[in-house]
Each structure stands twice: as C-alpha cells, then as structure tokens.
Amino acid sequence: MRRNARQAEATKRQVLFPFLLSLFCGAFSQQIRYTIPEEMAKGSLVGTLAKDLGLSVQELPARKFRVSSEEDYFNVSAESGDLLVSGRIDRETICDRKSECALEFETVAENPMNIFHVVVVIQDINDNAPRFVAKSIDLEICESALPGVKFSLDAAQDADVGSNSLKSYTTNPNQHFSVSTKESPDGSKYPELLLEKPLDREQQSSYRLMLIAMDGGNPSLSGTTQIRIQVTDANDNAPVFSQEVYRAILQENVPLGTSVLRVTATDQDEGANAEITYTFLSAPTSASLLFRLNPNTGDITTNGTLDFEQTRRYVLGVEAKDGGVHTAHCNVQIEIIDENDNVPEVTFISFSNQIPEDSDLGTVIALIKVRDQDSGQNGLVICYIQKDLPFKLESTSKNYYKLVIDRALDREETAEYNVTITATDRGKPPLSSSTSITLHIADVNDNAPAFHEASYVVHVAENNPPGASIAQVSASDPDLGPNGHISYSIVATDLEPQALSSYMSVSEQSGVVFAQRAFDHEQLRAFEVTLQARDRGSPALSANVSLRVLVDDCNDNAPRVLYPALGTDGSALFDTVPRAAQPGYLVTKVVAVDADSGHNAWLSYHVLQASEPGLFSLGLRTGEVRTARALGDREAARQRLLVAVRDGGQPSLSATATLHLVFADSLQEALPDLSDRSEPSDSQSELQFYLVVALALISVLFLLAVILAIALRLQRSSSPAARGCFQPGLCSKSEPGVLPNYSEGTLPYSYNLYVASQSAKTELNFLNVTPEMVPPQDLLCDDPSTVVHASNEDNKITYDPSYSSHVSFCQPI
Ligand SMILES: *[C@@H]1O[C@H](CO)[C@@H](O)[C@H](O)[C@H]1NC(C)=O
Ligand SMILES: *[C@@H]1O[C@H](CO)[C@@H](O)[C@H](O)[C@H]1NC(C)=O
Ligand SMILES: *[C@@H]1O[C@H](CO)[C@@H](O)[C@H](O)[C@H]1NC(C)=O
Ligand SMILES: *[C@@H]1O[C@H](CO)[C@@H](O)[C@H](O)[C@H]1NC(C)=O
C-alpha cells in the first residue's frame, strides 16, 4: 500500500513538473538520461550532469545549479556539477513490480533560468529472495489416492522482477511426491505437488517435505517452506485373525457360561474401519446355539450343556467384519472331553424264562448286551451276577454276555432264582446299574414218589366190619403237577392173587386201605400186600412199599374141654385114686383148649363144686388135680369135682367139666363103685378107647406144633416188625389202621408147652400149643415126659421139676 501510494505520488510529480516549467519558462531544454543500478551507495556518481549539459564548472555556483525535485535520492555536487546519489534508491520501493523503473526530475540553473530534464533509469538487482507467506503447508491425502493426482500449492513471493524474480520450485527428494512449477495466467508461478506412488497409511501415515522456491538471480536466492502431508485412512485392510484355527479342550457338562476361548482379529485400518464385529458363520446351527460369541470382544462362552456322547467335536466358523466391507474367517475347534456321566445299561437280547430242571450245563439262558455311552475307561463295562447261583456270565464278544447254566438245577430245591446282573464301568468314580430277572425252573419228572415209611404194619382186630378202612399209606412226590400226582394201587400180595380183591382194596387217590371182608384171626393171622405209588409223569415213576396186615385176636372162642370128655351117652369117665396116695399125688388133669390166642387163650381152672371140699387141689394154670392131704377111710369112695375153665379174655368165656374120682387101689376095686352107679359095663373099654384116641390126637398136634414153631421161627426172624396184640378188650372196637400201642416182649408169656405124664405109664395126656408162640428154636429133650416151660421173650428154657420124675436135659437143635 505504501508502495502504491508512493508510486501514485511520483506519477503525479512527473506530470506536475512539465506543466509548471512550461508555465514559468515557456520552453523545455534537452533531456538527460542516466541508468544506474539500485541500491548504490550515497554519494555515488550517477553522471556528469553539468558537463553533459554544457555548463561550465565556474559558473555553477552563480547559477545555483541544483536538483529541483527528488532531493531524497539525488543531488548535484556543487564543485563538479556531477549528479550524485543522495539517498537509498530501492527499486522495489519506487517501482514495485514495474519492469521499467525510471526516476524523472528537473535540475534548475538560474541566471538565466534553465530547467533541465533528467531521467535516471534504475536497474533491478537481485536483492530479494523468494518468500512463502505460510511457514508450512498442511495437506491431507487419502491413502487411496491414485498416482498422478496433483495438488496446487500456494505460490511464493519474490519482489524482484525479471530474471531476478521467482523462477522455479523444487522439493527434497522423496519417492512419493514431486513438485513442478506452474504458471498462472497472471504470470505468477506456483508449485504443484504430484503423487508419484500409491500411499499406504498403514506403512507411513505422514510425510514432511521441504518446498524450495528459487529465483533466477545470479546467484539465485531461494525460500523454503514445509509441506506436511497427513495420509488419511482408507478402509483398505481386511481384519486378520491371530490364528487361522483356534483350538480348545473342554470337559463335558461344564456350567453354562464357561469361557471357552477368545478369538482376536486385528485390522490395520483405523477408526471405524478397524472396528471389528465377530459373528458365527452360517449361524444359527445347533452347534452355534450351544456357544455364545461376544460380537465385540470375540469371547466364546458356552450357552448350553455340552454332551460328549452327542458331539465330541465342534467346528465353528467365525467371521470378523470391520466397519466397511472387509471380512475374515477363522475356525474354532472345540474338543469335548468325556466325563463318566453315563450309567452302563443292561439290555436283554433274548431271554428264556422257563428253564427245564434237567437242562444241560452250559445251556444259554439269556443273551445280554451292555452299553455305556461314555468312552475310554468310562465306557469299559464289566458285568457280573451274584455268587452262589448255579449260573454264570460268559463274555461272548465285546459288551455281549451270555448267561449259562453252571451247576445242575433242581426245581425241588429252588424253583426260582432272582438273578441280578450288575454292570460297572471303570470310570472314577465308577457308575453301575443292575437289572434283575426272575428265572423259573420248569419241572421235569425226575423224582419218584416216596412212601413216608419203609414198610407199613397194621393191626386189624378180627371180626372187623367189611369195608372198614384199616390203614392209610401215603407217598409224596416233590415234582409239580401231573409229575407229582400220585395214585395208589396194589401190585402184589402173598395171598392168592385171585382172592386179593375179596380181602383188600386201596383208594387210588387217598391211599386209604379198606378191608373187604371180616378177618378171622383163627383162620388168617397175617398177610402182606405190595402197594405201589405211581405219578402221572411221562414216563411215570413209581415206588413200592409193603403193607403187612396183622389180624389181631378177639376173645370170640370159649374154652373147650377135651378131658374129661363126656361119653357119647352123656356119662362121664372116672379117675381112680389109690387110697394110699400121698398128699400131692397127681390124680388127673383137666385139659381144655381155646382157639383164641394170648390172654384170650390163657386158661385158668377153678373148682366150682366139690363133694368134699379141701380134699383135692386144682392147679390154677395147669388144671392138675392133686390130693391135698392123705386119704382117710372115712371119705366116701366116690368123689365129684365140678371144674370151670375160664380164658383170660375180657370179658372171659368159660366152660365147665365134671370129674368123677374113685378111691380104689385098682380098677377092679373101683368097678363095683362104678357099677353101683349103674354105669355101662363097657365104660372101661370106652375110656381106653378115648385115651388111645387122645394120645393119637396129641401126638399129631405135637408134631404140627413143632412144624409150625419152626415155620414161625423162620418167618419171625425175617420180619421183626411183626408184633403181637394180646390186649384184652382191644378187639371189637379197634380203630382201623391204628396200631396198638405196646411193643414186643411186654407180655408175661408168649407160649406154653405142657407135657403132662404119669411117670408109671409114660402117658401124654394133653398138649396145648399156641402155634403162633412156638419158641424160635426146637427143643430136643432126652426124656419126652419132661414138662417144658419156655418163654420166647428171651428164648430161655425153664423146667418145672414138680411135674417130672427127674430133670432131663434139653437143648436147642
Ligand atoms: C549533496 O548531498 C550531500 C550529502 O547529502 C551533501 O553533503 C551536499 O552538501 C549536497 N550538496 C548540495 C549542493 O546540496
Ligand atoms: C443360548 O441358548 C438359548 C436357549 O437354548 C437360545 O435361545 C439362545 O439363542 C442362545 N444364544 C446364543 C447366542 O446362541
Ligand atoms: C425274587 O424277587 C421277587 C420280587 O422282588 C420276590 O417276590 C421273590 O421272593 C424273589 N425270589 C427269590 C428267590 O429271592
Ligand atoms: C413194584 O412191584 C411190581 C410188582 O412186584 C414190580 O413189577 C415193579 O417193578 C416194582 N417197582 C419198583 C419200583 O420196585
């Protein structure tokens, strides 16, 4: 502004002076022209003005030669009249940017007044360097800018003109930028920045360049400024994951929300371009629903229960996305580790519930499969059953077992088994489960019926009612159903087989034995049948047992007197007694028999009536009639004794006999007594006849008795169970099938064998044998007249010396 003002002032002066000169002087003298460079020192010579004007030096002071204007810059030397520089001449101040700069002024000389026109051309020198207004230039260039892009920059200023003015711009050498010099339409020169190579903010985010402006002077001057270039981000980078694959190992059943891992992606961009969000690729899937991915941090946590048995490995794709369009992918692999969280399972593939008890060892009963969903040791299962069972588990192949029979089965011992199969895995701690099955053992007819007793003996009182049940046999069979259903039958007997059905029958169902008729002890004392129990199995099994039936005696027979027998005409025989008989003389013997046995046949003799009481004694058991005292003459020659024979039954039965006794030394002497009684004359011969018959009968009976005794002895030794029943009164009302409650050998005697003899006549009067009670051994005595009394209880033989003239020796054969 200042410069422009001055310029305007100077211009005004240049116009004003010629006008004034013409006004006052009326004429212009010649024009003098000098050229000087600017910035000459004060006092420097511009030109020899006076000389050039043709003025003499001497007249100068008189003419007061001087510069009339522009005294600041020039004056005239008074001595020489030279034009000198009187002040600083700055072209840039005076002429600014004009290419031609000249100072025009007048010099005046008086006396005469002359005005001289002087022009001093001022030449430029390079005294100004180019100068930038701003200390630095700030630029922002996007990294995505393409090479060749130009940026115009502010021009530098240079006050000099012409060749001294600003000529070019340069910059310090660098790869990315260059500077060129451009000229604007007004001729000024400005720098232009050219991008030579692509920028990468991520590599270098800023540049500092020196911009140099140079003028054309010699030497040239320069000015500089700084270009500060900031490279701005373009979203040119994709996020990058720190790993391509992330791996994590996780226990199954971890709680919800457990942290698994963190994926991290980075983006070299900045700002929004580097803001990364994470998502599951191809979500949502069942797997990705199990995990939660924090979109901002990349943290993966569980969002559900992980089950190793369902999925052992998860592979998830994760995408990272920046604020723009760039994405990156990575894989997340999550391995699940097994925990022992599954109980082994036992399943039956096949199973037979009913097992025949005769199954072979090794028969397969069930096929079992065990399963554990865990893996490794957690899934290794061992299987076992309780001990003490007749079964065992055999492993067939991995996880398969068969249950087989290990020991023989017996349904009768154990009909069902509860088998508990326990499966345990090898985890820590182990888990186990068990399953129970009930095995039923099916029956096989492997047991024969068995009678409860080895043999049966039953006592039946004779005269039983026909059809009475007399015994019951029972057998049992532990088998089931028809295999244990027993029926009874009679299969053998020692009776006549045809007669059996008239004797016995057995109820097929109950085993009750019935008598089919009334038994008679005197006819049949015992018999034996074989009973069979038979089951209904197939094949059927059976067992035999013997049933011995003992027919017990009842007192149903009265004693029968054999001697003295009545004559055919009703008259009785008589016995003679010598008058000289000593006391105790055996007169005669009453002989009676009883068809019953035991007590019922145990006879006792009683005197009912005597013509002279006390004269004779009667043996209670023997029936022997003896004199009780010596006979006197006073006594009547004929005596009569009424004798009762009673058996031991309850009630007892009895018979009577009448004895006629005659006191006489001989038979002839007695005869008159007898004839007095008008007895038939041939009674003596009749008596003899009876005696002979009795003797023969007794001999036969004795023989029979001996034979029977041998037979019984043999039979008894083979069946010791046989028992006798002699309890009086048991007979008629004896309960069928109930055995009398006394044992063998408790009775006072078992049998009696009486042999009476007259020592003189060696006469056997009577032999009474109870056949059943014959001693077990035969006796052989050297004197047959010996009266033998033996007991079969202990086979001891005793003798009664009173009935024998001497004791003879007997021994068992
Ligand atoms: C010219 O200028 C110089 C310096 O300013 C001065 O010494 C001198 O006296 C001047 N001469 C005239 C004639 O004015
Ligand atoms: C987490 O699980 C719940 C229930 O299964 C489901 O609704 C939800 O979408 C899951 N969240 C994620 C992030 O998967
Ligand atoms: C078997 O188990 C059943 C039911 O638990 C039970 O009634 C039965 O008595 C058991 N049998 C054996 C032989 O333990
Ligand atoms: C039973 O007795 C019958 C007839 O004597 C015979 O055939 C059968 O074999 C016997 N059974 C047994 C098991 O002894």
Side-chain angles (χ1 to χ4, degrees), residues 491-492 530-532 542-545:
V491 292
T530 302
L531 292 164
Q532 187 174 68
S542 64
N544 289 350
V545 75

Side-chain angles (χ1 to χ4, degrees), residues 416-418 438:
E416 66 169 33
Y417 293 93
N418 283 345
T438 303

Side-chain angles (χ1 to χ4, degrees), residues 82 127 195 501:
D82 289 344
D127 60 345
L195 181 63
S501 59

Side-chain angles (χ1 to χ4, degrees), residues 589 602 621-622 624 698-699 701-707 709 749-757 764 766-771 773-775 777-781 783-792 797-800 803 810:
K589 180 173 167 61
W602 199 26
R621 294 296 171 197
T622 58
E624 286 169 343
I698 286 167
S699 303
L701 279 174
F702 178 74
L703 259 175
L704 276 175
V706 167
I707 291 164
Y749 60 90
S750 295
Y751 79 98
N752 289 314
L753 174 68
Y754 295 103
V755 179
S757 73
L764 275 176
F766 177 67
L767 176 66
N768 181 6
V769 175
T770 308
M773 300 303 165
V774 163
Q777 288 146 309
D778 274 341
L779 296 182
L780 187 64
C781 299
D783 185 349
S785 68
T786 302
V787 175
V788 178
H789 175 83
S791 160
N792 76 337
I797 301 154
T798 56
Y799 307 95
D800 188 351
Y803 299 130
C810 295

Side-chain angles (χ1 to χ4, degrees), residues 448-489:
F451 280 100
H452 295 156
E453 287 179 34
S455 63
Y456 291 85
V457 175
V458 63
H459 291 263
V460 182
E462 60 181 332
N463 305 327
N464 57 294
S469 63
I470 55 170
Q472 181 169 21
V473 294
S474 65
S476 56
D477 188 327
D479 288 329
L480 263 191
N483 294 339
H485 194 110
I486 299 174
S487 56
Y488 301 92
S489 59

